[in-house]
Amino acid sequence: MLSWRRVSAAMLALIILFVSPCRAESARVRINIAGLGTERCDVIETGRASKVDVMKWVEGFWSGLNYVAAASGQKQSIVDTDLIITELEKACRRRPSQILATAAWNAFLALNEK
């Protein structure tokens, strides 16, 4: 069986495969991202999106990651929305210039290791 780390990049690529194009920030993998995931972490503070809209996008993204995890026999990240948003905000504080999809991906990995 493949480890979570080895499958993680491929899983994300599978989830995003069918959405509209926007290149994600990754030196190793080119990924198409849709919706608010293409916005920088400061999207809420600048007023370009509400916190509710960001939460909805992240919940959908997270659900997609869990869907692929379950379909590929990997561990799902089963946490409540408040914890997801807290971890997303931490990721955004560490690198405010990153896009939300990258911050959400890093939050998913961080919470899935616990």
Side-chain angles (χ1 to χ4, degrees):
M1 180 181 272
L2 295 174
S3 73
W4 175 256
R5 288 273 182 212
R6 292 183 357 167
V7 175
S8 59
M11 285 176 44
L12 183 60
L14 287 172
I15 291 168
I16 308 303
L17 185 62
F18 299 107
V19 296
S20 64
C22 176
R23 204 172 123 243
E25 303 167 66
S26 176
R28 297 181 291 180
V29 179
R30 292 184 86 159
I31 303 168
N32 289 323
I33 305 294
L36 284 175
T38 64
E39 296 286 340
R40 303 263 175 230
C41 277
D42 69 350
V43 67
I44 297 170
E45 286 79 27
T46 61
R48 292 190 317 269
S50 71
K51 188 169 185 171
V52 170
D53 288 341
V54 170
M55 283 177 32
K56 287 178 182 179
W57 184 88
V58 171
E59 286 173 330
F61 184 78
W62 208 275
S63 296
L65 292 173
N66 277 333
Y67 186 92
V68 173
S72 63
Q74 302 298 312
K75 179 182 172 190
Q76 296 181 60
S77 180
I78 302 172
V79 295
D80 67 35
T81 302
D82 290 337
L83 187 54
I84 292 170
I85 296 303
T86 298
E87 197 64 34
L88 177 74
E89 289 171 344
K90 282 184 203 174
C92 281
R93 278 193 301 276
R94 283 191 296 272
R95 269 192 58 221
S97 65
Q98 70 186 318
I99 61 173
L100 284 174
T102 301
W105 176 242
N106 289 329
F108 183 86
L109 290 176
L111 289 174
N112 209 28
E113 289 178 351
K114 294 180 180 183

